[in-house]
Amino acid sequence: MLYGSIEAGGTKFVCAIGNEKLEIIERVSFPTTTPAETMPLVIDFFNQYKEDLSAIGIGSFGPIDIHPNSPTYGYITSTPKLAWQNYNFLGAMKEAFAIPMAWTTDVNAAAYGEYSFGNGKGLSSVVYYTIGTGVGAGALQNGEFIQGFSHPEMGHMLVVPHPKDDFKGSCPFHGNCLEGMAAGPAVEKRNGRKGQDIPQDDPFWEIEAEYIAQCAYNTTLMFSPEVIIFGGGVMKQRHMVDKVHAAFKRLMKDYVATPELEKYIVTPALEDNAGTLGCLALAEKAYQDAK
Amino acid sequence: MLYGSIEAGGTKFVCAIGNEKLEIIERVSFPTTTPAETMPLVIDFFNQYKEDLSAIGIGSFGPIDIHPNSPTYGYITSTPKLAWQNYNFLGAMKEAFAIPMAWTTDVNAAAYGEYSFGNGKGLSSVVYYTIGTGVGAGALQNGEFIQGFSHPEMGHMLVVPHPKDDFKGSCPFHGNCLEGMAAGPAVEKRNGRKGQDIPQDDPFWEIEAEYIAQCAYNTTLMFSPEVIIFGGGVMKQRHMVDKVHAAFKRLMKDYVATPELEKYIVTPALEDNAGTLGCLALAEKAYQDAK
């Protein structure tokens, strides 16, 4: 018995096969160009395993339609990537493979990976952020995704400008929301170089940490989660975690007694495997639910 | 068969009895002084109905311990009201009445009331705020409260100061958080008079609406709920809802396609009965769960 995983990102699709223990046994990636080009590669890949494939978990870039009763359930909806707008992603997969499938956002899948195997394992309430070319997030309570009329878009929450930061923000919608102030493009635009080229003791990192701490602060007050996990390119700067802890303490002023910060605000245990492992775990769940 | 309700607020306890249809058949209130004074009044009230009383729902001011496995489950914990600090509220009730009890925050109880009978009825994801002497909130997804290491404290989320507002905020912890900028004391301190005495066309209300809209904006991005309900004294200014809708539209810039604003950002259908009706519904649930 095998499970399939599709991590459909804005620049590449990572497809993988996992065994019954949800160990990754093969993984490939394809560039995200157009559905007409990308999807046949995806389908060909899984066709090799068709006989043993029991379910597929899909974590897609969005926005996506997550409502099973909606006529456009399984579609990528209003994405700026024109070729994928209103594309029936889940429908195309279901046409090719008559097996159970899980359908959620890419970042929900990564959150589910950390919840199943990583720093959210065994916890009832987990929030996962990725801070990369954008800021995305997924939240789980008792194994269910937090969602309502749609999936959350926490990356665009409001932040209070740092007094030493005169950057106007790079979000095309909101300017200086969290994504506009703290995602990779904002780091690069502000500093004229990418994050990995900015020295650890550059005062800019205190500003960056302040925005991430504001995010952790709001997340604490909104969800009281048992853990907040920050992944993505920006958090690969490992010195950031301590800076975020310090800024979070300043903001919270002991108002709420969170779990110990070293275990409460953390980076992903699974690193870049969170998405694929999350999709495999979601595939297994879809298979169990369909039985 | 009767159900009991205790809405334990910081200034008064409202105790009520509901029938099988969860209709309120009696209601009394006692000042919140000390446990030694207030609790005997509460217990005497319910003792009148002891024979027919099947369960009690308690919504308490907080912070409270909501973890059934914790040694201080059922306690009011670090409240600034010293006489109630570390008070075993649920324990005192259980000693007096050997029946099922529900235990949550006062604002969760009000959220549950709107979810059961009001503007959240039939919806899967509901967030309820009360903007009064403080700002409190409760959120529900599929009938379960959003919570983790503790109950949320959304009223203290960060807000971005309005450019025409030089008020420094009145929150003793965070200064200019949402509660510090938008709760009743902030309204009064800024204007030298209470909200009900400020005319509807005073430009201050645009500032107040901006903060409430920021709260609705962040809530939308964090939960994607199906409805956001704003109750409490400040929202009794009925002109506020339109102002909040307008400010929310300006902030959101159509980034997320929410439900129609008139049905999405609303005031409570149950008005001041939300808490009592929520406690009765929680009592019924506790009774069913115990069967």
Side-chain angles (χ1 to χ4, degrees), chain B residues 150-224:
Chain B
S150 183
H151 48 81
E153 292 279 358
M154 309 184 199
H156 294 259
M157 75 174 72
L158 294 163
V159 289
V160 181
H162 187 288
K164 289 186 191 154
D165 187 18
D166 57 5
F167 185 57
K168 294 296 167 224
S170 62
C171 171
F173 286 90
H174 314 107
N176 59 1
C177 67
L178 175 63
E179 177 169 309
M181 295 304 258
V187 172
E188 192 174 344
K189 217 166 172 181
R190 210 192 257 107
N191 294 283
R193 51 187 169 169
K194 285 187 190 295
Q196 66 247 43
D197 301 324
I198 303 170
Q200 208 171 303
D201 59 356
D202 191 295
F204 164 71
W205 290 120
E206 297 292 339
I207 291 174
E208 179 74 10
E210 164 73 20
Y211 294 123
I212 298 172
Q214 288 189 20
C215 167
Y217 172 90
N218 277 343
T219 302
T220 297
L221 297 176
M222 305 294 268
F223 295 104
S224 287

Side-chain angles (χ1 to χ4, degrees), chain A residues 62-142:
Chain A
I64 66 173
D65 187 334
I66 55 165
H67 287 292
N69 297 328
S70 158
T72 55
Y73 174 64
Y75 284 53
I76 297 178
T77 59
S78 58
T79 172
K81 299 179 78 67
L82 295 182
W84 296 85
Q85 252 179 29
N86 303 314
Y87 175 64
N88 186 359
F89 189 158
L90 183 62
M93 290 304 298
K94 289 242 166 199
E95 207 169 289
F97 304 96
I99 55 178
M101 293 191 194
W103 169 248
T104 192
T105 63
D106 47 359
V107 70
N108 267 352
Y112 203 80
E114 285 290 322
Y115 166 73
S116 302
F117 307 108
N119 280 330
K121 196 174 169 178
L123 301 183
S124 73
S125 173
V126 174
V127 183
Y128 174 95
Y129 285 88
T130 175
I131 304 179
T133 51
V135 180
L140 283 152
Q141 183 165 316
N142 298 325

